[in-house]
Amino acid sequence: MSITTRFAPSPTGYLHIGGARTALFSWLLAKSKGGRFLLRVEDTDRERSTKEATDAIIQAMAWLDLAAEGTAVFQSDRFDIYNSYIDKLLAAGHAYWCSCTPEEVEAMREKARAQGKKPKYDGHCRELGLGPGEGRVVRFKGPQDGVTAFHDMVKGPTAVQNAEMDDMILRRGDGTPTYNLAVVVDDHEMGVTHVLRGDDHVANTPRQILLYQAFGWDVPNFGHVPMILGPDKAKLSKRHGALSVMEYKNMGYLPEALVNYLARLGWSCGDQEIFSREELVKLFSTGNLGSSPSVFDMKKLDWLNAHYIKESAPERLAALLPEFIGDQDGLKLDPAYLASIVPLLQPRAKTLVEMAEMARFFLVPAEALAYDEKAVTAQLTPDSKALLAELLPMYETAADYADHKALEAATQAFLDERGLKFKAVAQPLRVALTGKTASPGLFETMSVLGKPEALKRIRRALAL
RNA sequence: GUCCCCAUCGUCUAGCCUGGUCCAGGACGACGGCCUUUCACGCCGUUAACAGGGGUUCAAAUCCCCUUGGGGACGCCA
């Protein structure tokens, strides 16, 4: 039996971390069973939905490589379909017209609240047999007793008293359909068999099941994944920092790192931490989804990102790097050169932003190299400069800069002759070449810089 | 207020369904060490948890109840 899942965001903003995770889980659920994954844009609220948000969501999903099958379904294109289904419900006696105004309904809720009861619409028009009319809404005529039960893929058996639910609106006063109606119609028409969504939808599920039953349709499987919390254990929000998936891209995270991180947030497979896309597809199962909320931990994301940076092909990273380098004036940015730098930075950078910063001294010409003042005073002393000056001729004659080991051996031989320790030159030479006291390996750096550039830098340092 | 959900190291989690192999395992972090030309990487080690209380049982992180704490839902939003 083939399964179908879907991700159904409402385009009122960018794709946030929580949405991305549900999308990922839905995608994985489909792929792990060889099923289909669909995308539906829930834009029935015409005021809050925007084209920009829709594009941003699709772009973010593309970055995460969560491809949906076929073209996305837009609910705003389908109002006629929803209305025809509402008519069916009306005809079958599962729905009724209601003339109560929002103010009247609010008063009913207040009254119920005051009595310590659950705020609900009181069913005023339920048996009035009203017909259509200006501003009237259509409500679902739900059962007033009994229970609606379902087996949640993550929470297990779940049941709600029907008396807890009021007669939800299916069609608004302006003729547009509401969320619960549209979702049920679409999930049915799209053949969705498994619905994985955020925890905040649990309360909607029994209502939707009632609708499925009223229509006489098969009820899909539901699963509700707990939400993601900020470090203070409150619901993750803007004040916790980046929420948008694309902000993570801009902060220099690799999509596979985010995917791996998100997959492990609320899901597990024994002790395994690192998962390739293929492994995720192979190993994913809703049975291993956790049922308690989890805190988003940037440090662990950093660790995963560092891991994937180390694993990446230098050429790929080199191609991504330029967009993280601000003020590119006069910088040497050709792809081959960048690709030669990247391997020296891969073990050191946690993000591409960091990598771009670390790469900077490689990219500026010797004349423009910024020397750290403290480093210069501490390392480029008269003594160490004298030693560098002695070394210079050797580096001028050394032919093979491509082989950093040869450079190192030559330097070592020079030092041995004089009975000097490596430490005597290491830091001064490093400052001369990089302007800083911390850098990748000296001779690898020298080798990547190339002979003319390296010599220019040493000469410039001697003149400081 | 009403209804629903959740609860293992600071964090992500394994274990819970099918009690004993768990004085609770892994990972991130933090701390310490090793390596070393710097910074990293890597490697080694330390730290640290079954929310509390009652049961059931020969035996409970695991099953039941209560308490506490946290969260969510209650819209002509999705």
Side-chain angles (χ1 to χ4, degrees), chain A residues 42 44 109 119 172-173 227 233 266 295 348 430 439:
Chain A
E42 312 227 312
T44 53
R109 294 205 178 95
R172 301 186 185 101
M227 59 182 184
K233 302 233 178 188
V295 174
R348 296 174 167 78
R430 185 182 315 280
S439 81

mmCIF file of all heavy atoms in Angstrom, chain A residues 42 44 109 119 172-173 227 233 266 295 348 430 439, chain B residues 1 11-14 37-39 71 75-78:
data_model
loop_
_atom_site.group_PDB
_atom_site.id
_atom_site.type_symbol
_atom_site.label_atom_id
_atom_site.label_comp_id
_atom_site.label_asym_id
_atom_site.label_seq_id
_atom_site.Cartn_x
_atom_site.Cartn_y
_atom_site.Cartn_z
ATOM 1 N N GLU A 42 -1.802 26.847 2.165
ATOM 2 C CA GLU A 42 -3.072 27.125 2.825
ATOM 3 C C GLU A 42 -3.275 28.626 2.940
ATOM 4 O O GLU A 42 -3.011 29.226 3.972
ATOM 5 C CB GLU A 42 -3.108 26.455 4.191
ATOM 6 C CG GLU A 42 -2.666 25.005 4.116
ATOM 7 C CD GLU A 42 -3.572 24.048 4.845
ATOM 8 O OE1 GLU A 42 -3.926 24.319 5.996
ATOM 9 O OE2 GLU A 42 -3.927 23.005 4.251
ATOM 10 N N THR A 44 -6.228 30.407 2.533
ATOM 11 C CA THR A 44 -7.641 30.804 2.548
ATOM 12 C C THR A 44 -7.823 32.147 3.244
ATOM 13 O O THR A 44 -8.830 32.805 3.044
ATOM 14 C CB THR A 44 -8.523 29.762 3.269
ATOM 15 O OG1 THR A 44 -7.973 29.507 4.548
ATOM 16 C CG2 THR A 44 -8.620 28.486 2.479
ATOM 17 N N ARG A 109 -19.598 32.900 24.551
ATOM 18 C CA ARG A 109 -18.338 32.372 25.114
ATOM 19 C C ARG A 109 -18.084 32.971 26.484
ATOM 20 O O ARG A 109 -17.687 32.270 27.412
ATOM 21 C CB ARG A 109 -17.175 32.694 24.173
ATOM 22 C CG ARG A 109 -17.285 31.980 22.846
ATOM 23 C CD ARG A 109 -15.934 31.794 22.190
ATOM 24 N NE ARG A 109 -16.106 31.062 20.932
ATOM 25 C CZ ARG A 109 -16.221 31.650 19.749
ATOM 26 N NH1 ARG A 109 -16.164 32.963 19.645
ATOM 27 N NH2 ARG A 109 -16.384 30.930 18.658
ATOM 28 N N PRO A 119 -15.605 27.731 26.774
ATOM 29 C CA PRO A 119 -16.254 28.708 25.899
ATOM 30 C C PRO A 119 -16.627 28.076 24.554
ATOM 31 O O PRO A 119 -15.769 27.552 23.858
ATOM 32 C CB PRO A 119 -15.194 29.796 25.722
ATOM 33 C CG PRO A 119 -13.914 29.213 26.173
ATOM 34 C CD PRO A 119 -14.225 28.113 27.113
ATOM 35 N N ARG A 172 -17.424 31.065 6.002
ATOM 36 C CA ARG A 172 -17.520 32.359 6.664
ATOM 37 C C ARG A 172 -18.614 33.216 6.044
ATOM 38 O O ARG A 172 -19.140 32.910 4.988
ATOM 39 C CB ARG A 172 -16.192 33.122 6.535
ATOM 40 C CG ARG A 172 -15.006 32.406 7.116
ATOM 41 C CD ARG A 172 -13.772 33.313 7.083
ATOM 42 N NE ARG A 172 -12.611 32.600 7.534
ATOM 43 C CZ ARG A 172 -11.670 32.081 6.734
ATOM 44 N NH1 ARG A 172 -11.759 32.219 5.421
ATOM 45 N NH2 ARG A 172 -10.652 31.423 7.237
ATOM 46 N N GLY A 173 -18.884 34.324 6.715
ATOM 47 C CA GLY A 173 -19.897 35.262 6.253
ATOM 48 C C GLY A 173 -19.611 35.802 4.864
ATOM 49 O O GLY A 173 -20.524 36.166 4.128
ATOM 50 N N MET A 227 6.314 20.643 19.792
ATOM 51 C CA MET A 227 6.957 21.827 19.242
ATOM 52 C C MET A 227 8.402 21.969 19.696
ATOM 53 O O MET A 227 8.901 21.227 20.532
ATOM 54 C CB MET A 227 6.168 23.048 19.633
ATOM 55 C CG MET A 227 6.075 23.173 21.105
ATOM 56 S SD MET A 227 5.087 24.604 21.468
ATOM 57 C CE MET A 227 5.248 24.562 23.213
ATOM 58 N N LYS A 233 13.073 27.425 27.382
ATOM 59 C CA LYS A 233 11.992 26.442 27.404
ATOM 60 C C LYS A 233 10.641 27.030 27.020
ATOM 61 O O LYS A 233 9.619 26.365 27.173
ATOM 62 C CB LYS A 233 11.873 25.764 28.778
ATOM 63 C CG LYS A 233 13.168 25.089 29.181
ATOM 64 C CD LYS A 233 12.928 23.667 29.552
ATOM 65 C CE LYS A 233 14.235 22.988 29.900
ATOM 66 N NZ LYS A 233 14.076 21.573 30.095
ATOM 67 N N GLY A 266 13.842 15.465 18.262
ATOM 68 C CA GLY A 266 12.512 14.876 18.355
ATOM 69 C C GLY A 266 12.415 13.513 17.701
ATOM 70 O O GLY A 266 11.373 12.863 17.737
ATOM 71 N N VAL A 295 14.303 21.424 23.076
ATOM 72 C CA VAL A 295 14.944 22.730 23.031
ATOM 73 C C VAL A 295 15.942 22.789 21.877
ATOM 74 O O VAL A 295 16.741 21.882 21.696
ATOM 75 C CB VAL A 295 15.680 23.015 24.361
ATOM 76 C CG1 VAL A 295 16.479 24.312 24.280
ATOM 77 C CG2 VAL A 295 14.695 23.055 25.514
ATOM 78 N N ARG A 348 38.793 23.939 10.717
ATOM 79 C CA ARG A 348 38.774 25.060 11.660
ATOM 80 C C ARG A 348 37.476 25.836 11.729
ATOM 81 O O ARG A 348 37.203 26.497 12.720
ATOM 82 C CB ARG A 348 39.907 26.028 11.306
ATOM 83 C CG ARG A 348 41.275 25.397 11.471
ATOM 84 C CD ARG A 348 42.390 26.315 10.981
ATOM 85 N NE ARG A 348 43.682 25.821 11.439
ATOM 86 C CZ ARG A 348 44.328 24.800 10.890
ATOM 87 N NH1 ARG A 348 43.814 24.170 9.852
ATOM 88 N NH2 ARG A 348 45.484 24.389 11.385
ATOM 89 N N ARG A 430 54.793 33.174 11.035
ATOM 90 C CA ARG A 430 53.337 33.151 10.899
ATOM 91 C C ARG A 430 52.776 34.579 10.829
ATOM 92 O O ARG A 430 51.950 34.886 9.981
ATOM 93 C CB ARG A 430 52.707 32.412 12.091
ATOM 94 C CG ARG A 430 51.201 32.228 11.983
ATOM 95 C CD ARG A 430 50.635 31.523 13.215
ATOM 96 N NE ARG A 430 51.443 30.371 13.592
ATOM 97 C CZ ARG A 430 51.380 29.186 13.003
ATOM 98 N NH1 ARG A 430 50.540 28.989 12.025
ATOM 99 N NH2 ARG A 430 52.154 28.215 13.399
ATOM 100 N N SER A 439 46.689 30.657 12.754
ATOM 101 C CA SER A 439 46.452 30.398 11.327
ATOM 102 C C SER A 439 46.569 28.905 11.062
ATOM 103 O O SER A 439 46.987 28.155 11.935
ATOM 104 C CB SER A 439 47.486 31.151 10.492
ATOM 105 O OG SER A 439 48.708 30.431 10.450
ATOM 106 P P G B 1 -7.653 28.446 36.959
ATOM 107 O OP1 G B 1 -7.699 27.762 38.255
ATOM 108 O OP2 G B 1 -6.669 28.039 35.982
ATOM 109 O "O5'" G B 1 -9.097 28.297 36.280
ATOM 110 C "C5'" G B 1 -10.295 28.513 37.032
ATOM 111 C "C4'" G B 1 -11.444 28.374 36.079
ATOM 112 O "O4'" G B 1 -11.345 29.413 35.068
ATOM 113 C "C3'" G B 1 -11.446 27.079 35.289
ATOM 114 O "O3'" G B 1 -12.120 26.077 36.022
ATOM 115 C "C2'" G B 1 -12.199 27.458 34.022
ATOM 116 O "O2'" G B 1 -13.595 27.465 34.226
ATOM 117 C "C1'" G B 1 -11.714 28.896 33.792
ATOM 118 N N9 G B 1 -10.547 29.013 32.912
ATOM 119 C C8 G B 1 -9.304 29.458 33.275
ATOM 120 N N7 G B 1 -8.466 29.490 32.267
ATOM 121 C C5 G B 1 -9.201 29.050 31.180
ATOM 122 C C6 G B 1 -8.827 28.882 29.816
ATOM 123 O O6 G B 1 -7.723 29.103 29.292
ATOM 124 N N1 G B 1 -9.870 28.404 29.045
ATOM 125 C C2 G B 1 -11.130 28.127 29.528
ATOM 126 N N2 G B 1 -12.003 27.667 28.631
ATOM 127 N N3 G B 1 -11.492 28.278 30.799
ATOM 128 C C4 G B 1 -10.487 28.750 31.558
ATOM 129 P P U B 11 18.134 20.689 30.550
ATOM 130 O OP1 U B 11 16.786 21.276 30.569
ATOM 131 O OP2 U B 11 18.344 19.324 31.081
ATOM 132 O "O5'" U B 11 18.691 20.729 29.055
ATOM 133 C "C5'" U B 11 18.467 21.864 28.230
ATOM 134 C "C4'" U B 11 19.011 21.576 26.854
ATOM 135 O "O4'" U B 11 20.446 21.409 26.936
ATOM 136 C "C3'" U B 11 18.535 20.265 26.245
ATOM 137 O "O3'" U B 11 17.262 20.400 25.644
ATOM 138 C "C2'" U B 11 19.632 19.998 25.226
ATOM 139 O "O2'" U B 11 19.520 20.857 24.118
ATOM 140 C "C1'" U B 11 20.864 20.399 26.029
ATOM 141 N N1 U B 11 21.403 19.273 26.798
ATOM 142 C C2 U B 11 22.129 18.321 26.096
ATOM 143 O O2 U B 11 22.316 18.384 24.903
ATOM 144 N N3 U B 11 22.623 17.293 26.853
ATOM 145 C C4 U B 11 22.464 17.106 28.211
ATOM 146 O O4 U B 11 22.981 16.128 28.748
ATOM 147 C C5 U B 11 21.696 18.132 28.860
ATOM 148 C C6 U B 11 21.200 19.153 28.154
ATOM 149 P P C B 12 16.323 19.132 25.527
ATOM 150 O OP1 C B 12 15.009 19.613 25.077
ATOM 151 O OP2 C B 12 16.427 18.297 26.728
ATOM 152 O "O5'" C B 12 17.018 18.361 24.317
ATOM 153 C "C5'" C B 12 17.062 18.943 23.012
ATOM 154 C "C4'" C B 12 17.703 17.957 22.072
ATOM 155 O "O4'" C B 12 19.074 17.731 22.460
ATOM 156 C "C3'" C B 12 17.077 16.571 22.122
ATOM 157 O "O3'" C B 12 15.916 16.532 21.315
ATOM 158 C "C2'" C B 12 18.212 15.707 21.576
ATOM 159 O "O2'" C B 12 18.322 15.806 20.185
ATOM 160 C "C1'" C B 12 19.421 16.367 22.234
ATOM 161 N N1 C B 12 19.774 15.749 23.528
ATOM 162 C C2 C B 12 20.566 14.596 23.512
ATOM 163 O O2 C B 12 20.945 14.129 22.424
ATOM 164 N N3 C B 12 20.909 14.021 24.695
ATOM 165 C C4 C B 12 20.486 14.550 25.841
ATOM 166 N N4 C B 12 20.851 13.945 26.983
ATOM 167 C C5 C B 12 19.660 15.713 25.879
ATOM 168 C C6 C B 12 19.331 16.277 24.709
ATOM 169 P P U B 13 14.759 15.546 21.727
ATOM 170 O OP1 U B 13 13.757 15.615 20.656
ATOM 171 O OP2 U B 13 14.363 15.773 23.126
ATOM 172 O "O5'" U B 13 15.518 14.158 21.579
ATOM 173 C "C5'" U B 13 15.235 13.057 22.384
ATOM 174 C "C4'" U B 13 16.369 12.081 22.257
ATOM 175 O "O4'" U B 13 17.538 12.611 22.921
ATOM 176 C "C3'" U B 13 16.137 10.751 22.936
ATOM 177 O "O3'" U B 13 15.383 9.893 22.080
ATOM 178 C "C2'" U B 13 17.564 10.252 23.115
ATOM 179 O "O2'" U B 13 18.102 9.766 21.907
ATOM 180 C "C1'" U B 13 18.277 11.545 23.499
ATOM 181 N N1 U B 13 18.352 11.759 24.950
ATOM 182 C C2 U B 13 19.175 10.901 25.665
ATOM 183 O O2 U B 13 19.826 10.019 25.123
ATOM 184 N N3 U B 13 19.211 11.117 27.012
ATOM 185 C C4 U B 13 18.516 12.062 27.715
ATOM 186 O O4 U B 13 18.655 12.126 28.946
ATOM 187 C C5 U B 13 17.672 12.906 26.920
ATOM 188 C C6 U B 13 17.619 12.728 25.602
ATOM 189 P P A B 14 14.522 8.791 22.693
ATOM 190 O OP1 A B 14 13.688 8.262 21.610
ATOM 191 O OP2 A B 14 13.917 9.290 23.940
ATOM 192 O "O5'" A B 14 15.627 7.685 23.058
ATOM 193 C "C5'" A B 14 16.406 7.125 22.014
ATOM 194 C "C4'" A B 14 17.272 6.014 22.556
ATOM 195 O "O4'" A B 14 18.261 6.543 23.456
ATOM 196 C "C3'" A B 14 16.552 4.970 23.394
ATOM 197 O "O3'" A B 14 15.878 4.040 22.564
ATOM 198 C "C2'" A B 14 17.732 4.327 24.111
ATOM 199 O "O2'" A B 14 18.405 3.416 23.278
ATOM 200 C "C1'" A B 14 18.639 5.523 24.365
ATOM 201 N N9 A B 14 18.531 6.035 25.730
ATOM 202 C C8 A B 14 17.896 7.161 26.188
ATOM 203 N N7 A B 14 17.999 7.343 27.483
ATOM 204 C C5 A B 14 18.742 6.247 27.907
ATOM 205 C C6 A B 14 19.197 5.843 29.174
ATOM 206 N N6 A B 14 18.960 6.524 30.299
ATOM 207 N N1 A B 14 19.923 4.710 29.246
ATOM 208 C C2 A B 14 20.166 4.033 28.123
ATOM 209 N N3 A B 14 19.796 4.303 26.876
ATOM 210 C C4 A B 14 19.078 5.442 26.838
ATOM 211 P P U B 37 55.976 21.020 17.040
ATOM 212 O OP1 U B 37 56.926 20.796 15.949
ATOM 213 O OP2 U B 37 56.363 20.769 18.461
ATOM 214 O "O5'" U B 37 55.431 22.501 16.971
ATOM 215 C "C5'" U B 37 56.209 23.578 17.488
ATOM 216 C "C4'" U B 37 55.619 24.854 16.967
ATOM 217 O "O4'" U B 37 55.974 25.005 15.571
ATOM 218 C "C3'" U B 37 54.110 24.851 16.988
ATOM 219 O "O3'" U B 37 53.673 25.316 18.235
ATOM 220 C "C2'" U B 37 53.755 25.810 15.853
ATOM 221 O "O2'" U B 37 53.779 27.147 16.271
ATOM 222 C "C1'" U B 37 54.909 25.595 14.861
ATOM 223 N N1 U B 37 54.590 24.753 13.695
ATOM 224 C C2 U B 37 53.867 25.333 12.660
ATOM 225 O O2 U B 37 53.461 26.469 12.699
ATOM 226 N N3 U B 37 53.650 24.526 11.583
ATOM 227 C C4 U B 37 54.076 23.222 11.429
ATOM 228 O O4 U B 37 53.827 22.621 10.390
ATOM 229 C C5 U B 37 54.802 22.690 12.546
ATOM 230 C C6 U B 37 55.040 23.463 13.614
ATOM 231 P P U B 38 52.302 24.924 18.821
ATOM 232 O OP1 U B 38 52.428 24.784 20.275
ATOM 233 O OP2 U B 38 51.770 23.807 17.999
ATOM 234 O "O5'" U B 38 51.405 26.208 18.536
ATOM 235 C "C5'" U B 38 51.718 27.455 19.172
ATOM 236 C "C4'" U B 38 50.802 28.502 18.608
ATOM 237 O "O4'" U B 38 51.094 28.679 17.204
ATOM 238 C "C3'" U B 38 49.334 28.135 18.648
ATOM 239 O "O3'" U B 38 48.769 28.473 19.895
ATOM 240 C "C2'" U B 38 48.766 29.010 17.536
ATOM 241 O "O2'" U B 38 48.622 30.340 17.941
ATOM 242 C "C1'" U B 38 49.890 28.945 16.502
ATOM 243 N N1 U B 38 49.698 27.918 15.476
ATOM 244 C C2 U B 38 48.780 28.189 14.480
ATOM 245 O O2 U B 38 48.117 29.204 14.457
ATOM 246 N N3 U B 38 48.664 27.225 13.530
ATOM 247 C C4 U B 38 49.351 26.043 13.465
ATOM 248 O O4 U B 38 49.143 25.278 12.531
ATOM 249 C C5 U B 38 50.274 25.820 14.533
ATOM 250 C C6 U B 38 50.410 26.748 15.490
ATOM 251 P P C B 39 47.633 27.561 20.514
ATOM 252 O OP1 C B 39 47.313 28.123 21.834
ATOM 253 O OP2 C B 39 48.042 26.143 20.380
ATOM 254 O "O5'" C B 39 46.398 27.815 19.542
ATOM 255 C "C5'" C B 39 45.878 29.131 19.372
ATOM 256 C "C4'" C B 39 44.845 29.101 18.285
ATOM 257 O "O4'" C B 39 45.479 28.924 16.992
ATOM 258 C "C3'" C B 39 43.870 27.943 18.373
ATOM 259 O "O3'" C B 39 42.841 28.234 19.285
ATOM 260 C "C2'" C B 39 43.357 27.873 16.940
ATOM 261 O "O2'" C B 39 42.402 28.867 16.666
ATOM 262 C "C1'" C B 39 44.636 28.176 16.142
ATOM 263 N N1 C B 39 45.341 26.947 15.736
ATOM 264 C C2 C B 39 45.026 26.384 14.494
ATOM 265 O O2 C B 39 44.177 26.944 13.794
ATOM 266 N N3 C B 39 45.654 25.259 14.096
ATOM 267 C C4 C B 39 46.556 24.688 14.893
ATOM 268 N N4 C B 39 47.162 23.573 14.463
ATOM 269 C C5 C B 39 46.892 25.229 16.172
ATOM 270 C C6 C B 39 46.254 26.349 16.556
ATOM 271 P P G B 71 5.095 27.332 30.363
ATOM 272 O OP1 G B 71 5.763 28.530 29.822
ATOM 273 O OP2 G B 71 4.052 27.464 31.413
ATOM 274 O "O5'" G B 71 4.463 26.512 29.151
ATOM 275 C "C5'" G B 71 5.273 26.186 28.028
ATOM 276 C "C4'" G B 71 4.606 25.124 27.215
ATOM 277 O "O4'" G B 71 4.236 23.990 28.047
ATOM 278 C "C3'" G B 71 3.283 25.499 26.579
ATOM 279 O "O3'" G B 71 3.474 26.314 25.439
ATOM 280 C "C2'" G B 71 2.740 24.124 26.212
ATOM 281 O "O2'" G B 71 3.419 23.581 25.105
ATOM 282 C "C1'" G B 71 3.124 23.322 27.459
ATOM 283 N N9 G B 71 2.024 23.282 28.421
ATOM 284 C C8 G B 71 1.946 23.915 29.632
ATOM 285 N N7 G B 71 0.807 23.674 30.245
ATOM 286 C C5 G B 71 0.111 22.840 29.389
ATOM 287 C C6 G B 71 -1.178 22.239 29.507
ATOM 288 O O6 G B 71 -1.974 22.347 30.443
ATOM 289 N N1 G B 71 -1.495 21.478 28.397
ATOM 290 C C2 G B 71 -0.685 21.289 27.307
ATOM 291 N N2 G B 71 -1.156 20.521 26.333
ATOM 292 N N3 G B 71 0.524 21.831 27.186
ATOM 293 C C4 G B 71 0.848 22.589 28.254
ATOM 294 P P G B 75 -12.825 29.824 20.425
ATOM 295 O OP1 G B 75 -11.922 30.859 20.900
ATOM 296 O OP2 G B 75 -14.245 29.820 20.835
ATOM 297 O "O5'" G B 75 -12.680 29.692 18.826
ATOM 298 C "C5'" G B 75 -13.619 30.187 18.042
ATOM 299 C "C4'" G B 75 -13.171 31.236 17.053
ATOM 300 O "O4'" G B 75 -12.040 31.948 17.479
ATOM 301 C "C3'" G B 75 -12.872 30.578 15.724
ATOM 302 O "O3'" G B 75 -13.936 30.770 14.776
ATOM 303 C "C2'" G B 75 -11.529 31.146 15.317
ATOM 304 O "O2'" G B 75 -11.520 31.638 14.046
ATOM 305 C "C1'" G B 75 -11.214 32.217 16.366
ATOM 306 N N9 G B 75 -9.805 32.216 16.771
ATOM 307 C C8 G B 75 -9.186 31.476 17.733
ATOM 308 N N7 G B 75 -7.908 31.705 17.830
ATOM 309 C C5 G B 75 -7.674 32.663 16.855
ATOM 310 C C6 G B 75 -6.476 33.313 16.473
ATOM 311 O O6 G B 75 -5.347 33.157 16.939
ATOM 312 N N1 G B 75 -6.693 34.216 15.442
ATOM 313 C C2 G B 75 -7.904 34.469 14.835
ATOM 314 N N2 G B 75 -7.910 35.377 13.861
ATOM 315 N N3 G B 75 -9.020 33.872 15.179
ATOM 316 C C4 G B 75 -8.839 32.995 16.192
ATOM 317 P P C B 76 -15.055 31.968 15.148
ATOM 318 O OP1 C B 76 -14.450 33.032 15.886
ATOM 319 O OP2 C B 76 -16.418 31.607 15.501
ATOM 320 O "O5'" C B 76 -15.060 32.390 13.623
ATOM 321 C "C5'" C B 76 -14.862 31.456 12.618
ATOM 322 C "C4'" C B 76 -14.718 32.270 11.369
ATOM 323 O "O4'" C B 76 -16.022 32.698 10.976
ATOM 324 C "C3'" C B 76 -13.854 33.503 11.649
ATOM 325 O "O3'" C B 76 -12.768 33.377 10.750
ATOM 326 C "C2'" C B 76 -14.794 34.730 11.407
ATOM 327 O "O2'" C B 76 -14.258 35.644 10.468
ATOM 328 C "C1'" C B 76 -16.008 34.074 10.718
ATOM 329 N N1 C B 76 -17.297 34.613 11.111
ATOM 330 C C2 C B 76 -18.017 35.229 10.086
ATOM 331 O O2 C B 76 -17.527 35.278 8.961
ATOM 332 N N3 C B 76 -19.251 35.711 10.343
ATOM 333 C C4 C B 76 -19.759 35.612 11.577
ATOM 334 N N4 C B 76 -20.976 36.086 11.772
ATOM 335 C C5 C B 76 -19.013 35.000 12.653
ATOM 336 C C6 C B 76 -17.799 34.511 12.374
ATOM 337 P P C B 77 -11.705 34.185 10.164
ATOM 338 O OP1 C B 77 -11.453 35.487 10.781
ATOM 339 O OP2 C B 77 -11.905 34.167 8.736
ATOM 340 O "O5'" C B 77 -10.564 33.106 10.336
ATOM 341 C "C5'" C B 77 -9.794 32.816 11.389
ATOM 342 C "C4'" C B 77 -8.364 32.868 10.951
ATOM 343 O "O4'" C B 77 -7.571 33.010 12.128
ATOM 344 C "C3'" C B 77 -7.857 31.615 10.272
ATOM 345 O "O3'" C B 77 -8.116 31.614 8.886
ATOM 346 C "C2'" C B 77 -6.377 31.731 10.561
ATOM 347 O "O2'" C B 77 -5.774 32.650 9.686
ATOM 348 C "C1'" C B 77 -6.369 32.312 11.974
ATOM 349 N N1 C B 77 -6.283 31.289 13.048
ATOM 350 C C2 C B 77 -5.023 30.997 13.551
ATOM 351 O O2 C B 77 -4.039 31.567 13.066
ATOM 352 N N3 C B 77 -4.901 30.082 14.550
ATOM 353 C C4 C B 77 -5.975 29.482 15.036
ATOM 354 N N4 C B 77 -5.800 28.621 16.016
ATOM 355 C C5 C B 77 -7.284 29.767 14.539
ATOM 356 C C6 C B 77 -7.393 30.664 13.548
ATOM 357 P P A B 78 -8.296 30.276 8.067
ATOM 358 O OP1 A B 78 -8.522 30.709 6.676
ATOM 359 O OP2 A B 78 -9.270 29.385 8.719
ATOM 360 O "O5'" A B 78 -6.874 29.585 8.200
ATOM 361 C "C5'" A B 78 -5.747 30.045 7.449
ATOM 362 C "C4'" A B 78 -4.530 29.316 7.990
ATOM 363 O "O4'" A B 78 -4.457 29.543 9.421
ATOM 364 C "C3'" A B 78 -4.575 27.805 7.865
ATOM 365 O "O3'" A B 78 -4.123 27.364 6.599
ATOM 366 C "C2'" A B 78 -3.659 27.360 8.996
ATOM 367 O "O2'" A B 78 -2.317 27.516 8.658
ATOM 368 C "C1'" A B 78 -4.020 28.362 10.082
ATOM 369 N N9 A B 78 -5.097 27.866 10.946
ATOM 370 C C8 A B 78 -6.437 27.926 10.742
ATOM 371 N N7 A B 78 -7.151 27.386 11.708
ATOM 372 C C5 A B 78 -6.205 26.939 12.608
ATOM 373 C C6 A B 78 -6.315 26.279 13.839
ATOM 374 N N6 A B 78 -7.470 25.936 14.401
ATOM 375 N N1 A B 78 -5.170 25.970 14.496
ATOM 376 C C2 A B 78 -4.007 26.305 13.926
ATOM 377 N N3 A B 78 -3.781 26.937 12.774
ATOM 378 C C4 A B 78 -4.933 27.228 12.159
#
